[in-house]
Structure formats: C-alpha cells, structure tokens
Amino acid sequence: MKLRLTSIQRFSVHDGPGIRTTLFAKGCSIRCPWCANPENLSHEIQKYCTESGVWKQYGEDYSIEQVFDICMKDKNFYGADGGITASGGEALLQAKPLAELFKRLKEEQIGCCLETSLYAPEKNLELLRNYLDYIYVDMKVLDEERADDILNAPLQLYEKNLKYLFSAFPREKICIRIPLVDEMTFTEKNINVISEHLKNFQPSKCEIFSVHNLGSAKYATLNLAYHKFRKITEEELLKVKGYLQKQSGNTCFVIH
Amino acid sequence: MILFYKENRVAKTPVDALKRVLSHFREIKVYGGSCSREKVLEKARFDADGCHTFIYTWDVYKTVKIRGRILGNCTIDYRKILNCGLSHYYMDGEDEFAKTNNSLLDAILTYVGRLADFVRESEIANRDNIVSYLVRFKDEPAQNLEEALQRILVINQIQWQMGHILVGLGRLDYCLDGYVEEETKAKRLLTEFFSLLHKYYTIKSNALMGDTGQIVILGGRTEEGECFTNNYTQLMIETIQELQIPDPKVLLRVNRDMEDAAWTDIIHVMSSNTGSPLISNDDEIIEHMVSFGYEREDANNYITSACWEPIAGNCYEQNNIISLNYLEPFERISKRHDLQKIDTFDRLMKLYYEELKGYIESITGYLDTLKWEKDPLYSMFDENARRCRRDVSTGGSKYNNYGILTVAMANAVNSLNNIRELVFEKKLYTYEELDSCRRANFKNHEAEYLLLKNADKKWGHDEDEVCSFVNQITEKTQIFLDAYENPLGGGVKFGLSSPHYIMNSVDYPASFDGRRKGEPFSVHISSGEGIAYTELMNFASKLDYSGKRFNGNVVDFMVMPALVKQNIAQFVQLIKVSLLQGCCQLQANVIDAATLILAKNNPNDFPNLIVRVWGFNAYFNELPEEYKDYLIERARQNEAAFN
Ligand code: SF4
C-alpha cells in the first residue's frame, strides 16, 4: 500500500496546533477555481520543467514505512500539541493507506490531524475515525444553486459527510475553515448558508481567511489556466467574522 | 592608516574620512619603547561626550606600538575588581614581572586620578559621585550598582586605550549579583552604560562595522553548577533591546533547568530583530569543556571569545586565530596527485585525508610562529600569571589553548557527495574531468555547473549517513591535531563556525558543489536550500562536538518575522528541543528578503535596520555589499521553504 504525495512539509505551523509534519496528498475530487496547489489536483504523477530547465515531477509514491520514518524524525518536536496533518489535495481519497499510517503514529502517541474538503466517499471518513485528534473542514460554496458548478462536484456528498462528521466526532475536535473568495464563497447568499450551517453544527472553532494568489508559477508548469482573485480586505474579513459570530454564536478567528 | 580605514567605512567619501583623520593629525601619537603603556596612560586625553551619570572616554589618537600580535577577544574578571580596590593588584618582589606590574599599576592609578580631576572640572551632571567613585577605586570595593558600572567602564576604556581589540564584557549579570538597586534606576543606569559602550562604535569595530567584540554573557551556571539568573539578566536583555543598537550584543547561556516562561521571553527577544541573543547551550558546552581538560568550576564559569568560542572565565586564551578551509584538500589533490588514478571514492577519501593532514600541519606550523605582544595589563588581572610570575602572552594563564575555526565544511561535504554520485556511481565523468571543469571556474562547462549546483545537497539533512560522514571528517581533524602542543603549552580546539566565510572565499577557486570562484562559503551550520528548521536542528544535534570540536558550533538560521511572531509557542518548542537534543549554539536573523532588498535599494529609509552577521550585530546599511547580497540570498532560500 502506497501513499501518493506531492510533498512532506516538516516544521509546518499552519496546519494544526504545535509543530507538525504535513503530508500533501496528490489528487482531489473537486476543482476550486482559487486552488493554490494545482499540483495536487490530479492523482497522476506529472512531469514538469523548472525555470532553470531541470525536469522534475509532481508526486511520488511512498510506502507507509517511508512516510512513518519521516514523521518520526521530528517526534521530539511535536510535544503534546503537534503531530501529523494529512492535507492535500484531498487526503481522504487515500484513506486506506492513511489509516494504516495513522494507526502506527497513534501507537507512538503522535497526534493526527486531517484537513479535508469532505468530497470523498463516506466510508473513507469511517476508516480514519479511530485515529483523528483534530479535523479541519472546509466550508466553501454551500449555495446549492452554484456549488456543483463552481466546484465540479455534488454538494450532497459534502452535506452527508458533514453530518456524519459531527455525529462521529465531538465538536471540540472540529474546526471549520472558510476561504473567502470574491464572487465565489464571498457572496451574501453563501455567507448566509454558511452561517446556518455553523448554527446547526456548532463547531468549536472557525477560521476565516482570504486566499492568496501564490500558485501562479505552479499553474504555468502544468499548463493550466490561472484565475486571479481580488484580495478580500481586512475590513471585509472582520465584517464577515462579526456577522458569523453574531448569527451562529461561534468563535471565529481571522487568520492570515 | 587604521584610523582612515575605519573612518572610511562610515564616511560619505574617502576624502571626508581623510579630512577627519587629518583634522586630528597633531593628536595622533603611537608610543613605542619601554614604558609605552605608561606613556599612553599619561598622555591620553579625555572627553565627556554622552556622559551624564558615568565617565567613559578613550583617546583613540593615542596608542601603544604593537610589534607582535596583541591578545584579543579577552575579558578581564570584573568581579574581582568590584570587590577590591586597584591597589590590591600591587605585587611584592623585585622580579621583572612584579616590577612591570607595579609600574603599570602606578600609571593606571595616576590615570584614574587625572580622570577624576577632569570630571571634577567638567559639566557632567553626576560629577561629584563619579569623582568619589574614582577616588575610592584605589582601595575600596564598589558599593552600589552605579559605582560598579563606573568601575567596569574605566577598566574597559583602559583596555581599548592600550591597543586591545575586541574587548569582551563577560558575565555582567553574574558579576553584578549582590548589588541591589531599584528597577527603574537600574534600567536608567544600564541604558547609559550600554550607550556609552557604543560610543566609539566605528573605531572599536574590527573586521567589519559592528565587529567590536563587546559581548555580554548572561545567565548560565555558577561555578558550583547552580542554574544562575538574576534580575539583571532580563533587565539587560530588555535594555539592549530597547536601545535598538547593534552593540553590545548578548550571548545567553541556557540550560535544561530553565522555566518555560524564560524560553518564551527569549523567543520574544529574538523576534525583536536586533540580532541578539546568541543562545549557548550549557548542558553541552560545559561537558565538552570538562572532557577537554577544563576544571568543572572553570567550565561552569565559561565565557566566550568575541562571538561564540567558549573559554574559561578568567584566562586569556586566543581562540580566533585562523580558519581551516575544508575545501583546501581538493586544491592540494589537484596540484600534487595523478588524478587519473583516482578511480574509487575510497581512494579519493584517502587522498582527501592525506592532504587534510598535510594542510593541518601547515596550520600548526603557522601557529608555532605566532609572537604575542607582552601583556602586563591582562597579566595583572590573571591569578595564575601573578602566581607563577609569567606574562599571559607567554603561557602564564591557567589555560593556554589555541582555538581555530573552520570554513566550508558544508561545501566540502556537498562536493564529496556530488563527486561520489557523478564520478563513481553514475560514472558520467572521471575525477580529472570534473576537476578541470571546476578549476576552469566552469567556463564553457555550464552543463556540469548546473549538474553540480542543482544536485541534491546533503548538508543539513538529518540522515544518519550524512551526519556520520561529517563526524568522520571532524574526527580525522582532531586526530591530526592531537599531538599538537602550542608554544604556550596548551592544545588546540576547533569548531564549525567562522567569521571567514566571505573573507576567505574571495578569489578562492570554484568547488564541486557548484560554487563558483569567489562566491561565499556556507555560513556556520546553516541550511541554504529550504531545509525545514526541525531537519536542520536534528542534523546539528547529531554532529559530534566532543573532544577538541567544541570551539563554536552555531546553528545559524533565517526566519520571517511574521512566522516567528505568530508562532511563538512553536519556536519555543523548536529551540528548546533542539538544545535538549544536543545543538550547541543558535542564532537567528529574523528578517525577510523583501525588507532586506528594500533596505539595500533605499538605505536612507532603513537607517536602523540591524542584522546578525557572523557572530555580531550590525547596521545592514553599513555592511559591504557582498554581505548584504549574501543575507538577501539566504533569506530568499529560507522563504522558498514556506511557499
Ligand atoms: S479542495 Fe483544496 S486541493 Fe482541492 S481544489 Fe479545492 S483548494 Fe485545491
């Protein structure tokens, strides 16, 4: 069993508490137009040429043992809070090998965390159920008239998984992440639907942020069209934060 | 000449620098012959610029003629001077040592007397107190913090006046322990104290602006081994931080018994971007010093030569004499051996070590030729020298080891790895072919250059194989140094940090790691290619610093300010665990490439931007361009890891 990853980032501080090692899984089932990691979209290994003319590839197959060994290198640094985060792409699409890896990491008392869009078969979440200490869940486009078109995937699947998630895990283990993207997630209607969801599910924490326009160089290496989005202002972020907090009674943070 | 050189570093044009020196031409006097030190002390003029609570003055135009090499990077034991008056240092007997000592001490006391007269006549606000402190200096201990600081300043200025360079400040919090002072007053006193030490910044700066050697050692352990901090530890860090000046700089001794809050404070200070502190790991360094041969009490009381090289508290070891260049064996192999016969990696390593040995012999040969200037001042304050009546410059100190430094270990390790892969594994070239590309500085060999430059660099990765390879090379180094005894009767030690990573790389031939001729060597223990901090720290922790290898091993890393400010807890964990795992010393530049580029292009907008250079802090704008560019390049490489 192998894990197909585009990179393994050590000393990761943006993907969960403490010092972490983040695994970027290759392959995603949806297509967010603002995606900053286009190399993680396709599950296929992709060759590309760097600016200096060197051929490289996006993606590599790792045995569980290999990834486990790399994760273990920083064990001393994880402490009580840190650990491993599976991100992507959509790490849930590789739930089987991931469960195998997490099982071994848990035996070493290393915390395991998942970052997911929830666009994956429900059983995949079940596979990881026993190993997850913390879950970051995206809330992107929930407006049912536009979601399927924008993300190129069925919103129904997301809703089903979200319900399962909140039934399977205590709310303290769940953080919702909301990327604000102009005219995509950042519309009045969408914010209202998100607010409804937060009210219903009551996650312990919620993070709002503006997406950055950093992935353009990677899009070029893959010959993919790149969409640039207007940066959401600090003022807008704070306004949404205030609104969501008021409507849903949730703790929202703005992160940068 | 030296004055012109120093003034020229900050003057708008060389003509301005020349004018400045010429305007003092009549005052310039170099005293030689017998009693030259006494003459300088007799003739030195005083100035009260910047003085309110203290007097601190150095006549930079009067100096002693230095024929040999003057002892530098030293720190007098200020503690003792605070506890007894100067007259305590008179010696009985008619021997040469005692006579020289007493003559110099007479001159010092006369100098202090003249200084008191000067202050009495001056407009200095605190003159009455200063005068009484100077009078009491002869026979009395210092009674309060103000008097103690004044005493340190006077002894400090005398060292500069005698032509000493890189004068250290020692364990200031430890030496002031017991002087109780209300915090606001203490802070005010320390603020003026540190500002005055910054007074002759341009002239004090040695190899580069900022390289003054004025290092304050804080924290640590007592001689008995107890964990030590007092209210001055934090207060001094805070004061220096608030002054926003690059100098004096702080080295903070830390240990595993420190509380979490103290670690958080350290990270906050680091993130303030004044380049300080350098963090020095007592748990490692003390043990290595003891097994090298220092008595535990002296190891517990260690200080460092100007930057990072550990030395026992009260002695005058010379620790920054020359840098061994780990690329040099490649040059020697090229010149002396039939390259066609290098047909296996083992054969290459055999030659590398053979040439390393020869090269080290030439270094120790050079060490044997060093002649140190007689030093009655430092001998006066050295217990052992006084006991055996032997000048510290000829081995009178309790410890008389030499310290050397090393450069380009990373370049050598990456080179050897490239050669192994391209010549002996993939067999794309013979050693001779690759060496000729290198010697031609890759001219007309762009393909080979790119191949070497873009190859996976091994240095900095926490793979056991890489670490044990580095350890093997340092082990050989210490074996080759093993039999060496220096003319003062001490041994020799070395480490993986050096100030010479740019100075020694100028015009130095290209290397097999894809470094072109003249490009800088890698800095200390650092990673240039976006290696994660945890990986770099693991790597550094696995290096062996035992035996003779503890003479300064600094992990040097760049951090984006926002990253550290938003993740204080993670950086606390990073630094703490790294030290627990065995890293010896750490320093950081908390700065991003964009700011450095802006500052380079618009120097007037960034007059106070401070950066960490090899082991000191400096104004970015005052650095030579090659140092600025190298910092920018390193910041860029670091940021690449996070994007
Ligand atoms: S879920 Fe993540 S990886 Fe997938 S398309 Fe969206 S942003 Fe990209």
Side-chain angles (χ1 to χ4, degrees):
Chain A
M1 227 178 335
K2 301 260 182 189
L3 267 167
R4 182 166 289 180
L5 307 173
T6 49
S7 73
I8 299 178
Q9 193 183 344
R10 294 167 63 179
F11 192 74
S12 161
V13 289
H14 298 306
D15 302 303
I19 293 176
R20 313 195 70 84
T21 297
T22 301
L23 314 175
F24 290 92
K26 187 150 172 52
C28 185
S29 47
I30 61 173
R31 293 292 179 268
C32 308
W34 59 86
C35 179
N37 301 312
E39 76 280 17
N40 289 329
L41 296 177
S42 163
H43 184 66
E44 298 308 312
I45 287 177
Q46 294 162 294
K47 297 227 181 294
Y48 70 99
C49 189
T50 64
E51 269 177 20
S52 47
V54 181
W55 279 94
K56 291 196 169 173
Q57 67 177 41
Y58 289 127
E60 195 179 329
D61 288 332
Y62 293 83
S63 68
I64 305 301
E65 192 66 29
Q66 277 175 311
V67 183
F68 175 77
D69 287 348
I70 296 171
C71 293
M72 286 297 287
K73 285 186 171 191
D74 289 349
K75 187 178 178 192
N76 292 346
F77 292 100
Y78 300 145
D81 300 333
I84 311 301
T85 297
S87 181
E90 179 49 69
L92 264 188
L93 295 177
Q94 300 188 50
K96 238 182 171 173
L98 204 54
E100 189 75 22
L101 173 72
F102 279 5
K103 182 167 178 261
R104 294 197 53 191
L105 291 168
K106 293 303 294 177
E107 283 163 10
E108 296 288 337
Q109 274 83 46
I110 294 176
C112 294
C113 171
L114 174 71
E115 276 184 336
T116 176
S117 70
L118 284 184
Y119 282 92
E122 188 180 323
K123 65 173 183 358
N124 291 14
L125 205 47
E126 266 178 60
L127 283 174
L128 296 178
R129 185 174 177 163
N130 294 332
Y131 312 119
L132 293 178
D133 297 288
Y134 207 72
I135 305 127
Y136 285 97
V137 181
D138 293 343
M139 250 182 208
K140 304 178 197 262
V141 187
L142 302 190
D143 171 356
E144 51 189 30
E145 282 172 25
R146 302 176 73 222
D148 294 8
D149 276 355
I150 292 178
L151 301 179
N152 199 24
L155 181 63
Q156 238 184 350
L157 178 63
Y158 175 86
E159 298 283 15
K160 219 168 122 197
N161 277 333
L162 193 66
K163 266 197 204 112
Y164 171 77
L165 185 79
F166 276 92
S167 66
F169 295 93
R171 54 185 283 278
E172 290 71 36
K173 286 189 170 190
I174 301 168
C175 172
I176 298 290
R177 274 187 166 169
I178 307 169
L180 285 193
V181 187
D182 201 27
E183 293 175 11
M184 298 280 139
T185 61
F186 185 45
T187 67
E188 198 179 328
K189 184 165 178 207
N190 199 50
I191 298 293
N192 282 334
V193 188
I194 287 177
S195 162
E196 281 301 309
H197 277 68
L198 294 181
K199 208 190 298 177
N200 291 343
F201 290 107
Q202 291 293 317
S204 61
K205 198 176 150 196
C206 172
E207 295 176 351
I208 317 169
F209 55 98
S210 169
V211 295
H212 54 67
N213 290 304
L214 280 177
S216 64
K218 290 184 194 162
Y219 274 90
T221 61
L222 289 161
N223 276 328
L224 291 174
Y226 172 69
H227 308 270
K228 200 168 177 193
F229 291 90
R230 177 182 74 84
K231 200 171 179 319
I232 303 298
T233 64
E234 189 68 21
E235 206 184 335
E236 288 168 323
L237 278 167
L238 291 173
K239 208 169 145 195
V240 174
K241 174 189 147 174
Y243 176 76
L244 290 179
Q245 267 180 346
K246 196 162 151 227
Q247 296 297 312
S248 63
N250 260 292
T251 319
C252 291
F253 293 93
V254 172
I255 59 169
H256 296 104
Chain B
M1 268 309 281
I2 292 175
L3 278 177
F4 169 73
Y5 164 72
K6 292 193 170 181
E7 291 287 356
N8 194 31
R9 293 193 294 210
V10 285
K12 283 206 178 81
T13 65
V15 176
D16 288 347
L18 194 61
K19 272 189 194 158
R20 204 174 138 64
V21 174
L22 287 178
S23 70
H24 293 277
F25 192 67
R26 283 162 179 276
E27 297 163 56
I28 297 174
K29 181 94 178 127
V30 179
Y31 294 89
S34 65
C35 298
S36 56
R37 293 171 190 85
E38 288 82 349
K39 281 183 211 152
V40 169
L41 290 175
E42 186 192 327
K43 298 290 180 193
R45 296 211 261 179
F46 306 128
D47 77 84
D49 297 349
C51 297
H52 307 286
T53 316
F54 303 113
I55 179 74
Y56 183 67
T57 171
W58 166 27
D59 184 349
V60 300
Y61 302 105
K62 308 266 181 317
T63 191
V64 177
K65 186 167 187 180
I66 313 285
R67 289 166 305 245
R69 287 170 67 118
I70 191 153
L71 298 178
N73 289 307
C74 297
T75 305
I76 282 178
D77 180 11
Y78 292 108
R79 232 177 344 161
K80 195 153 169 225
I81 299 172
L82 300 183
N83 290 334
C84 56
L86 280 172
S87 56
H88 167 87
Y89 292 93
Y90 276 117
M91 293 179 77
D92 294 333
E94 284 303 309
D95 58 289
E96 204 47 44
F97 186 92
K99 277 203 281 194
T100 311
N101 178 77
N102 295 347
S103 155
L104 181 61
L105 191 49
D106 286 343
I108 290 175
L109 284 168
T110 312
Y111 169 90
V112 174
R114 277 204 308 123
L115 187 61
D117 293 342
F118 169 79
V119 174
R120 204 174 282 120
E121 301 300 315
S122 75
E123 300 289 311
I124 300 172
N126 195 31
R127 64 175 175 273
D128 293 347
N129 282 334
I130 300 175
V131 169
S132 86
Y133 299 151
L134 294 175
V135 171
R136 288 166 41 78
F137 199 173
K138 186 172 178 210
D139 297 311
E140 313 288 331
Q143 273 181 329
N144 56 40
L145 180 67
E146 190 173 297
E147 184 173 5
L149 291 174
Q150 178 61 77
R151 203 167 273 203
I152 293 170
L153 286 171
V154 171
I155 289 298
N156 181 278
Q157 76 192 36
I158 289 174
Q159 294 173 72
W160 290 103
Q161 194 65 66
M162 300 251 147
H164 281 292
I165 52 169
L166 303 161
V167 177
L169 296 163
R171 301 185 65 185
L172 275 187
D173 54 353
Y174 192 40
C175 120
L176 295 171
D177 198 40
Y179 290 104
V180 182
E181 188 53 88
E182 183 265 319
E183 191 173 321
T184 322
K185 182 166 180 204
K187 182 101 176 258
R188 182 176 58 75
L189 294 175
L190 287 171
T191 303
E192 186 175 331
F193 174 78
F194 289 125
S195 307
L196 285 172
L197 285 167
H198 191 63
K199 187 168 158 185
Y200 304 97
Y201 179 63
T202 305
I203 308 294
K204 283 180 176 178
S205 295
N206 195 44
L208 288 184
M209 283 297 292
D211 177 28
T212 63
Q214 301 200 111
I215 186 160
V216 180
I217 317 276
L218 299 176
R221 292 190 181 276
T222 62
E223 275 101 335
E224 296 73 36
E226 297 297 314
C227 188
F228 173 82
T229 57
N230 62 14
N231 49 343
Y232 293 126
T233 314
Q234 187 56 26
L235 203 59
M236 287 193 200
I237 293 178
E238 245 176 68
T239 311
I240 291 176
Q241 190 186 1
E242 281 167 21
L243 276 169
Q244 286 286 315
I245 48 176
D247 176 70
K249 62 204 170 187
V250 173
L251 179 142
L252 186 64
R253 287 179 44 179
V254 300
N255 57 61
R256 65 180 71 234
D257 302 330
M258 270 170 42
E259 286 168 14
D260 268 9
W263 289 102
T264 307
D265 288 344
I266 294 170
I267 300 299
H268 277 293
V269 176
M270 278 178 109
S271 72
S272 75
N273 194 27
T274 45
S276 284
L278 184 145
I279 298 169
S280 193
N281 186 2
D282 280 7
D283 299 326
E284 287 292 315
I285 289 172
I286 291 172
E287 293 315 313
H288 292 318
M289 287 181 82
V290 170
S291 59
F292 180 78
Y294 290 90
E295 285 175 19
R296 183 163 289 278
E297 194 178 277
D298 295 325
N300 281 338
N301 193 29
Y302 81 88
I303 56 171
T304 63
S305 301
C307 293
W308 49 71
E309 307 92 323
I311 45 175
N314 310 321
C315 67
Y316 296 88
E317 289 178 300
Q318 292 306 287
N319 235 353
N320 179 356
I321 300 178
I322 190 173
S323 281
L324 180 159
N325 180 347
Y326 278 111
L327 287 175
E328 192 57 22
F330 292 109
E331 296 305 313
R332 297 166 77 107
I333 290 171
S334 266
K335 284 181 200 138
R336 296 165 191 228
H337 294 273
D338 180 355
L339 303 187
Q340 286 182 347
K341 289 194 181 149
I342 305 178
D343 50 3
T344 62
F345 188 66
D346 286 349
R347 168 100 190 116
L348 173 66
M349 284 313 295
K350 203 166 161 262
L351 289 182
Y352 181 88
Y353 287 136
E354 198 178 303
E355 290 304 334
L356 180 64
K357 185 167 186 251
Y359 173 45
I360 286 176
E361 279 164 9
S362 73
I363 289 178
T364 51
Y366 166 75
L367 296 179
D368 283 340
T369 66
L370 298 176
K371 293 270 174 291
W372 301 99
E373 191 76 12
K374 274 219 169 268
D375 212 316
L377 180 72
Y378 284 158
S379 302
M380 181 183 299
F381 296 111
D382 186 300
E383 290 274 352
N384 201 72
R386 294 169 69 85
R387 203 175 305 123
C388 63
R389 307 215 165 203
R390 183 170 169 191
D391 195 279
V392 290
S393 65
T394 56
S397 257
K398 184 171 180 183
Y399 304 104
N400 294 287
N401 303 296
Y402 280 172
I404 61 171
L405 310 160
T406 66
V407 287
M409 174 61 101
N411 303 87
V413 167
N414 289 334
S415 290
L416 287 165
N417 191 65
N418 278 351
I419 297 166
R420 179 178 6 214
E421 194 182 315
L422 299 178
V423 175
F424 302 113
E425 287 171 9
K426 294 186 179 163
K427 298 194 190 307
L428 296 176
Y429 304 91
T430 63
Y431 182 82
E432 191 181 20
E433 284 164 350
L434 212 53
D435 193 53
S436 81
C437 299
R438 173 190 75 82
R439 276 184 289 133
N441 195 21
F442 306 112
K443 198 169 170 209
N444 301 326
H445 294 289
E446 206 52 27
E448 286 77 12
Y449 168 71
L450 286 175
L451 207 57
L452 293 170
K453 188 167 179 57
N454 293 326
D456 280 343
K457 301 280 189 285
K458 289 289 176 190
W459 175 267
H461 289 284
D462 53 354
E463 293 161 16
D464 290 341
E465 199 193 351
V466 187
C467 300
S468 63
F469 190 50
V470 179
N471 291 339
Q472 210 182 84
I473 299 175
T474 55
E475 174 65 24
K476 287 279 185 194
T477 308
Q478 64 174 352
I479 290 172
F480 299 149
L481 285 168
D482 217 25
Y484 180 69
E485 185 184 303
N486 72 40
L488 308 185
V492 66
K493 48 196 175 156
F494 67 100
L496 292 177
S497 301
S498 166
H500 301 130
Y501 54 88
I502 289 188
M503 278 179 259
N504 287 14
S505 71
V506 177
D507 283 338
Y508 197 82
S511 39
F512 292 96
D513 56 333
R515 181 194 137 273
R516 287 193 198 271
K517 181 178 176 181
E519 285 180 6
F521 301 137
S522 54
V523 182
H524 310 331
I525 304 172
S526 61
S527 59
E529 305 281 325
I531 292 172
Y533 297 129
T534 45
E535 177 155 26
L536 177 66
M537 299 301 182
N538 280 342
F539 167 76
S541 318
K542 285 183 188 172
L543 299 186
D544 192 341
Y545 305 112
S546 66
K548 302 176 189 302
R549 295 177 271 201
F550 65 95
N551 196 40
N553 293 284
V554 182
V555 180
D556 185 296
F557 58 107
M558 310 281 299
V559 198
M560 287 181 281
L563 187 72
V564 63
K565 281 184 182 132
Q566 288 164 17
N567 299 285
I568 295 284
Q570 284 89 333
F571 275 89
V572 167
Q573 177 80 353
L574 176 75
I575 302 298
K576 223 170 100 175
V577 173
S578 303
L579 296 169
L580 279 174
Q581 286 191 157
C583 283
C584 274
Q585 288 156 322
L586 300 169
Q587 66 182 10
N589 257 302
V590 183
I591 191 93
D592 55 80
T595 308
L596 292 175
I597 293 168
L598 265 179
K600 183 177 154 82
N601 295 333
N602 312 285
N604 295 338
D605 296 345
F606 294 85
N608 299 321
L609 180 64
I610 295 169
V611 289
R612 184 93 186 156
V613 191
W614 56 74
F616 62 89
N617 315 322
Y619 290 116
F620 183 69
N621 284 333
E622 290 178 349
L623 289 175
E625 294 305 308
E626 60 272 27
Y627 285 84
K628 291 184 191 171
D629 293 341
Y630 198 29
L631 272 171
I632 291 172
E633 178 56 24
R634 290 190 58 218
R636 273 202 189 121
Q637 286 179 355
N638 166 61
E639 286 161 34
F642 289 92
N643 292 330

